Amino acid sequence: MNFSTNIIKVYIGLFLAMFFWGFSFIATKYSLNFLNPISLVLIRLIISVIFLFILGNSLKLLDKIKPHHWKWFIILAFFEPFLYFMGETYGLKYISATIGAIIISTIPLFVPIGAWFFFKEKLYWKNLIGIVFSIVGVVLTLLNKNMEFTVSILGIVLVFIAVISAIVYTLIIRFFSKEYSALSIIAYQNILGIPMFIPFFIFIDYQDFSFNIELDLWLILLWLGIFPSSLSYLFYTYSVQNIGVNKTSVFVNLIPVITAVFSYFLLNEEFTIVKFIGITVVIFGLYISQLDYKKS
């Protein structure tokens, strides 16, 4: 395989990852009409784990966890999938799919802040400028066409909990990610995350849960478990390994755009000029934060 063919595959996989993630907000928002958040996430994770272990065993890509890494995998599972999906899924009960996607897309902006705070890594002006632009953009998306703030504060806070958990997850995983395949990390963190949801399912969701799920909802749950919860992470990690984190992170800009477009057509979400400007400003902020100012 020549270099150009490999790069084409990288970008195709990367675009599919963004599409799956962007569309997952719509699928999640729709599924919440029929399932409680914990039930939804638990089913999604079980499907993901089954798929990843079948795929990993067939391709011989599942690595064994080293004994001294077990505690780190448990910590990873606590932040993602447990805390991340608790924040994101409960948050989507109160805010639109588009706003949820916009907030989640700011994760790459705040990772350098976390690295600076915890590890004293150098922080560049482009990171701070990108954050300012994106915060302004997020605020604009929260306003209606009359420039009034009508979005649930609780929903915003819950989704930002998901953002914080993803930042912590990213900072932790950097220490041993090179020792395991991407498939192994995702499979193990998901399977370790499942027991964390079970007590909440028993005490909160069990009484309202019914196994009599309609076929169309099962198809959506299968899609959520296989594509955004599994394949997107594999495609994204593969892209980081081949073209670097900066070029890969730029594609995160696509997530809120995909969500906004499909939410308008499928969920009948309002798409005002103010929201369009807000999305544009957020994307501009993300783009600035990923610019490479180094001279060749």
Side-chain angles (χ1 to χ4, degrees):
M1 182 188 300
N2 59 43
F3 177 76
S4 60
T5 304
N6 186 52
I7 289 300
I8 290 172
K9 286 188 174 183
V10 168
Y11 283 112
I12 290 174
L14 191 50
F15 175 79
L16 288 174
M18 299 306 123
F19 178 82
F20 296 152
W21 275 330
F23 202 83
S24 71
F25 289 93
I26 300 166
T28 299
K29 187 72 176 178
Y30 174 81
S31 301
L32 286 171
N33 293 320
F34 309 97
L35 291 171
N36 291 328
I38 295 172
S39 301
L40 172 58
V41 176
L42 191 55
I43 295 172
R44 180 175 174 174
L45 285 178
I46 291 171
I47 292 170
S48 174
V49 166
I50 293 172
F51 172 76
L52 288 171
F53 272 89
I54 292 174
L55 184 65
N57 284 321
S58 61
L59 298 178
K60 308 297 182 184
L61 290 176
L62 273 177
D63 305 309
K64 289 185 178 180
I65 300 179
K66 298 175 182 178
H68 61 286
H69 282 160
W70 272 105
K71 64 178 181 180
W72 290 112
F73 270 96
I74 294 172
I75 294 172
L76 278 183
F78 173 75
F79 285 103
E80 193 167 340
F82 177 70
L83 198 58
Y84 176 88
F85 279 121
M86 288 288 273
E88 180 190 274
T89 311
Y90 268 105
L92 286 175
K93 283 189 66 177
Y94 303 102
I95 61 176
S96 70
T98 301
I99 291 174
I102 291 168
I103 295 173
I104 291 296
S105 72
T106 63
I107 291 170
L109 286 168
F110 293 105
V111 170
I113 301 292
W116 167 77
F117 184 80
F118 289 105
F119 307 124
K120 308 303 177 185
E121 291 187 5
K122 189 174 181 179
L123 190 64
Y124 296 94
W125 279 107
K126 64 176 183 177
N127 301 123
L128 298 176
I129 294 171
I131 287 172
V132 171
F133 268 99
S134 291
I135 289 175
V136 171
V138 168
V139 171
L140 286 174
T141 63
L142 303 180
L143 303 175
N144 62 19
K145 60 184 178 182
N146 298 319
M147 301 299 288
E148 298 170 336
F149 187 87
T150 57
V151 180
S152 165
I153 297 293
L154 177 59
I156 295 170
V157 170
L158 287 168
V159 177
F160 267 110
I161 288 175
V163 171
I164 294 169
S165 65
I167 293 168
V168 177
Y169 169 88
T170 303
L171 296 175
I172 294 174
I173 202 172
R174 64 197 299 180
F175 290 110
F176 60 89
S177 60
K178 292 182 180 179
E179 299 185 47
Y180 301 93
S181 68
L183 190 147
S184 297
I185 294 172
I186 299 162
Y188 287 126
Q189 74 184 43
N190 283 356
I191 198 169
L192 289 171
I194 288 174
M196 299 180 188
F197 286 97
I198 290 177
F200 292 90
F201 171 77
I202 293 172
F203 289 105
I204 298 175
D205 281 13
Y206 181 73
Q207 289 183 341
D208 298 325
F209 182 76
S210 172
F211 288 95
N212 187 25
I213 298 175
E214 298 292 335
L215 178 61
D216 59 342
L217 183 56
W218 270 120
L219 292 175
I220 291 173
L221 294 172
L222 283 169
W223 186 88
L224 283 169
I226 293 173
F227 291 92
S229 296
S230 304
L231 293 180
S232 284
Y233 285 100
L234 297 179
F235 292 154
Y236 188 85
T237 305
Y238 180 73
S239 299
V240 170
Q241 293 170 343
N242 283 271
I243 63 175
V245 67
N246 283 342
K247 290 183 179 179
T248 301
S249 297
V250 171
F251 277 76
V252 174
N253 300 345
L254 290 173
I255 294 176
V257 176
I258 292 168
T259 304
V261 171
F262 282 95
S263 293
Y264 175 78
F265 289 105
L266 298 177
L267 299 178
N268 296 317
E269 284 190 7
E270 187 179 32
F271 195 73
T272 63
I273 295 297
V274 177
K275 185 176 286 187
F276 174 78
I277 294 172
I279 293 173
T280 304
V281 174
V282 170
I283 291 173
F284 184 66
L286 287 165
Y287 177 74
I288 288 176
S289 72
Q290 301 301 325
L291 283 176
D292 187 359
Y293 296 112
K294 296 178 182 178
K295 293 183 179 180
S296 58

